[in-house]
């Protein structure tokens, strides 16, 4: 049983405050037993209806699918960049080999100055 002094302290605190007393609101719902507790849990967002949970689950799945597709796209881009880099390196090596070959034959190739 709640001591009467506690009721007096709560009443004095309620009179002193100008805003809504959360304890009073919860007490108002709690007097209805299990139904009141369920309503409080719904208001606080601890318990949600099934249609809300289904919507949240579908939204999560959509975001996950989008993330997976984006990651696959980035992987393809990385592979293409690696292939392009390898192709550029091969072309550079071929050019250098051609310059060496021409120099061996006595030709003086005109090369552009290298930029750093």
């Amino acid at each position: 049983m709640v001591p009467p002094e506690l009721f007096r302290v709560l009443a004095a605190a309620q009179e002193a405050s100008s805003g809504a007393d959360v304890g009073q609101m919860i007490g108002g719902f709690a007097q209805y037993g299990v139904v009141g507790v369920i309503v409080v849990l719904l208001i606080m967002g601890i318990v949600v209806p099934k249609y809300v949970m289904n919507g949240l689950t579908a939204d999560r799945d959509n975001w996950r699918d989008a993330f997976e597709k984006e990651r696959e796209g980035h992987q393809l881009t990385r592979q293409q960049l690696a292939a392009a880099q390898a192709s550029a390196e091969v072309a550079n090596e071929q050019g250098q080999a051609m310059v060496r070959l021409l120099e061996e034959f006595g030709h003086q190739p005109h090369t552009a100055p290298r930029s750093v």
Side-chain angles (χ1 to χ4, degrees), residues 81-115:
L81 287 173
Q85 180 69 28
S87 176
E89 289 172 359
V90 167
N92 192 17
E93 289 176 15
Q94 287 175 345
Q96 290 174 354
M98 185 62 69
V99 167
R100 281 192 306 271
L101 183 64
L102 289 172
E103 286 174 347
E104 286 177 14
F105 288 131
H107 186 275
Q108 296 296 327
H110 299 285
T111 58
R114 291 188 172 209
S115 62

Side-chain angles (χ1 to χ4, degrees), residues 54-68:
N54 289 341
L56 290 172
T57 304
D59 191 40
R60 179 202 63 198
D61 293 340
N62 290 340
W63 278 106
R64 181 176 291 153
D65 291 341
F67 172 75
E68 292 295 329

Side-chain angles (χ1 to χ4, degrees), residues 6-73:
L6 182 62
F7 285 127
R8 276 181 259 164
V9 170
L10 288 174
Q14 183 180 0
E15 289 175 9
S17 68
S18 60
D21 185 17
V22 176
Q24 182 182 11
M25 291 181 351
I26 291 175
F29 284 112
Q31 72 181 347
Y32 297 108
V34 175
V35 174
V37 171
I38 291 174
V39 169
V40 168
L41 292 176
L42 279 169
I43 291 171
M44 294 175 64
I46 296 172
V47 176
V48 295
K50 184 174 175 112
Y51 69 90
V52 172
M53 193 64 182
N54 289 341
L56 290 172
T57 304
D59 191 40
R60 179 202 63 198
D61 293 340
N62 290 340
W63 278 106
R64 181 176 291 153
D65 291 341
F67 172 75
E68 292 295 329
K69 289 177 185 175
E70 188 73 19
R71 186 167 59 176
E72 290 171 7

